Amino acid sequence: MKKILALHTGGTISMSANDLGEVSTNKENPLLDSRFIDDNIELTNEAVLNKPSEHITPEDMLVIQKRVQQAESEDYDGIVITHGTDTLEETAYFLDLTLPNHLPIVLTGAMRSSNEIGSDGVYNFQSAILTAAADESTDKGVLVVMNDEIHTARYVTKTHTTNVDTFRTPTFGPIGLVGKRGIHYFQELIQQTVMPIDKLKHNVYLLKAYAGMPASLLECLDKADTNGLVIEGLGAGNMPLETVEAIKHLLADQIPVVMVSRCYNGVAEPIYDYPGGGIDLERMGVTFCQGLNGPKARIKLLIGISAGLKGQTLRDYISNAVS
């Protein structure tokens, strides 16, 4: 008998649509009454939050993390977390970075509310339970299960606003599938160092570069209470000429600046050697973070700063995608 704990946080998977198609939060999550029809799985449901995922904050992520830590000592064999899809990847990566990741932890959600035609919530929930109960899911890190695919929290991202096949892993693809006869893994994710935290720093920001981007956007963040900045740069990690001096000032004021790419595929790396090019930015002290998108790089920078990392130690933590 496998014991699975389902922690519910809200999101579309728990919402209902009215006659006009307007989707809103229910007073009580309907999944709390769900049962799993399998003699080999004992399911326990628990509400942790009941929020749209746009309302989820890093503090909420820390609440979820602490509940998972407590559950690891309560004789559960796996944990499923239901979550709204808009920020699901950020919560998943937060947990992936801060938990030991031995016990299977699986996040899932839905693109259609509980009473819509073709609702995918119960099916995804069932798939996540099966994944969390599978022996093969041990030591896989935090996983995201949607639409019969198993993805790593590290690289998965939401790619479509409404399609049920929205969660994809650009460049690398899913690591497994949920089949009719069980869970099938065909890739192995390199393990990463756990960075435990019990409190959070604030004021870590994310900007997206664009043609003609003015320095003023960066200058307004050059403040004493700014703890860090992630930039989704152009191409492999380049910036408009107008922003270069502002980036220099941020770095001179000991504000960590991390570079990722705004591109959907590939990784950020210093290739071009001209003002604003990646090599020039790296020479100035910008840290390149390979393989992560902007929101996840921000989560990683937030956790590193919250753990007290500074200087080269922080840069090493950020730049290594598997640390």
Side-chain angles (χ1 to χ4, degrees), residues 72 77-79 92-93 95-97 99-107 130-145 150-156 174-177 183-192 194 322:
E72 289 178 339
D77 298 296
I79 298 171
Y93 191 51
L95 298 175
D96 195 49
L97 289 170
L99 291 168
N101 296 336
H102 174 72
L103 193 70
I105 300 169
V106 182
L107 277 80
L130 289 171
T131 304
D135 293 337
E136 300 88 341
S137 299
T138 301
D139 292 321
K140 286 287 194 296
V142 175
L143 303 170
V144 173
V145 171
I150 305 171
H151 297 265
T152 67
R154 192 181 305 171
Y155 297 125
V156 72
I175 65 167
L177 298 173
I183 307 302
H184 308 283
Y185 288 100
F186 48 87
Q187 289 193 62
E188 191 74 25
L189 183 67
I190 300 171
Q191 290 294 321
Q192 64 189 2
V194 176
V322 296

Side-chain angles (χ1 to χ4, degrees), residues 16 50-51 80 88 120 124 154 167 181 190 194 200 243:
S16 297
N50 190 23
K51 293 184 174 185
V80 171
L88 184 150
D120 54 330
N124 285 336
R154 192 181 305 171
F167 278 88
R181 297 188 177 184
I190 300 171
V194 176
L200 289 167
T243 66

Side-chain angles (χ1 to χ4, degrees), residues 29 66 75 84 195 197 222 233 256 275 309 314:
N29 191 324
K66 289 179 177 179
D75 200 31
M195 188 65 66
I197 57 172
D222 195 356
L309 303 185
L314 178 62

Side-chain angles (χ1 to χ4, degrees), residues 56-75:
I56 296 287
T57 66
E59 286 76 14
D60 292 325
M61 297 176 194
L62 191 59
V63 168
I64 299 168
Q65 182 239 42
K66 289 179 177 179
R67 180 63 188 97
V68 171
Q69 284 181 316
Q70 179 184 336
E72 289 178 339
S73 64
E74 295 175 348
D75 200 31

Side-chain angles (χ1 to χ4, degrees), residues 11 50 80 83 87 103 146 176 191 214 219 224 244 285 300 305 310-311:
N50 190 23
V80 171
H83 197 287
T87 62
L103 193 70
M146 295 278 289
Q191 290 294 321
E219 291 168 349
V244 172
K300 191 168 191 182
I305 291 170
K310 297 179 180 179

